[in-house]
Amino acid sequence: MHELRDATISVVIIDDEALVRQGLTLILEAADDIRVVGVGDSGAAADLVSTHRPSVVLLDIRMPAPDGLTVLRHLRTLPDPPQVVMLTTFDMDDTVRTALELGAAGYLLKDTDPEHLPHFVRTAAAGGVVLAGSPAHRMRTAIRAGGADPEAAALVDTLTDREVSVLRQLARGDSNAEIARALHLSQGTVKDHVSAILAKLRVTGRVPAALIAARADILTAEPTR
């Protein structure tokens, strides 16, 4: 492995297929600001993450025991958990939805364009939401049709207008820096808004907050209050 430099994004890849691990490693190692510090199957996941303390984990969702969801649950209990992006062959199925609700930073299809993979890793490392395809579209399709969920809408109604605007950008996959630029705020102010949003929505991560935004049907509408 290369010696890590300041601001380098460290990545651990967990997949039961050696060819997938090798392919992802080759793609990511070509980026100057990303280093793959560990690879292995699900049985090695806990030790790899404990040893290397990566910024991002790319985690196959379907593996022999322990499966990806079991590994994700463990990683989310760590004191300073990494951003976890699920790898899947299937687009937004029930298992992917469960992973998002458990706090995964998003998901990527295994046939994602290799040119886009470093960007997605950077987005995850920066605290953004990573979803294959258009984030807002994927969030909406993750939720059953039928209009806004009253419970989700009631939670969103506790937010201020500014917080709703921040939540909408967050749900589209924007990092704090991108939200700050879009809304003409400082990154510190955005960070404070995100913390308040998570507390009011009673969630511990950006993706569960984005799912609530989708259920409340606010991803395209402007706030009316």
Side-chain angles (χ1 to χ4, degrees):
M1 299 298 175
H2 299 275
E3 183 179 351
L4 290 181
R5 303 190 307 272
D6 289 344
T8 297
I9 300 168
S10 56
V11 178
V12 162
I13 299 170
I14 304 298
D15 195 292
D16 63 334
E17 297 183 33
L19 284 176
V20 173
R21 298 196 298 262
Q22 292 169 5
L24 292 173
T25 298
L26 285 172
I27 294 166
L28 293 176
E29 286 278 298
D32 291 339
D33 59 335
I34 299 173
R35 292 291 175 264
V36 176
V37 295
V39 298
D41 59 19
S42 60
D47 285 343
L48 285 171
V49 172
S50 176
T51 298
H52 296 291
R53 306 296 295 172
S55 304
V56 177
V57 174
L58 300 183
L59 175 62
D60 187 11
I61 204 166
R62 286 181 172 81
M63 294 180 288
D67 63 20
L69 292 180
T70 300
V71 173
L72 174 62
R73 287 186 179 96
H74 168 72
L75 296 182
R76 292 298 297 166
T77 67
L78 298 177
D80 185 19
Q83 295 288 90
V84 180
V85 178
M86 311 307 293
L87 299 173
T88 179
T89 306
F90 305 99
D91 191 358
M92 195 55 84
D93 63 5
D94 288 342
T95 308
V96 173
R97 277 190 286 270
T98 299
L100 298 180
E101 290 167 354
L102 288 173
Y107 78 98
L108 292 174
L109 299 178
K110 288 192 175 183
D111 61 357
T112 294
D113 188 332
E115 291 186 2
H116 297 160
L117 186 59
H119 167 72
F120 288 131
V121 167
R122 294 182 190 108
T123 297
V129 176
V130 177
L131 299 173
S134 166
H137 172 71
R138 294 306 183 194
M139 277 295 176
R140 288 194 296 272
T141 57
I143 312 301
R144 291 190 177 94
D149 176 342
E151 183 176 350
L155 285 171
V156 170
D157 199 49
T158 66
L159 306 180
T160 66
D161 286 352
R162 176 60 76 186
E163 288 167 350
V164 171
S165 296
V166 171
L167 175 60
R168 186 178 292 109
Q169 298 297 129
L170 179 157
R172 290 170 179 163
D174 289 355
S175 66
N176 284 358
E178 291 168 329
I179 295 171
R181 286 194 296 270
L183 300 181
H184 308 291
L185 301 171
S186 71
Q187 289 193 50
T189 298
V190 171
K191 184 177 179 180
D192 289 342
H193 282 315
V194 170
S195 295
I197 288 165
L198 299 185
K200 290 180 180 180
L201 298 185
R202 305 171 198 163
V203 294
T204 58
R206 297 167 78 97
V207 173
L211 289 171
I212 289 175
R215 292 190 178 104
D217 200 22
I218 68 161
L219 294 188
T220 56
E222 291 299 321
T224 58
R225 328 181 256 113

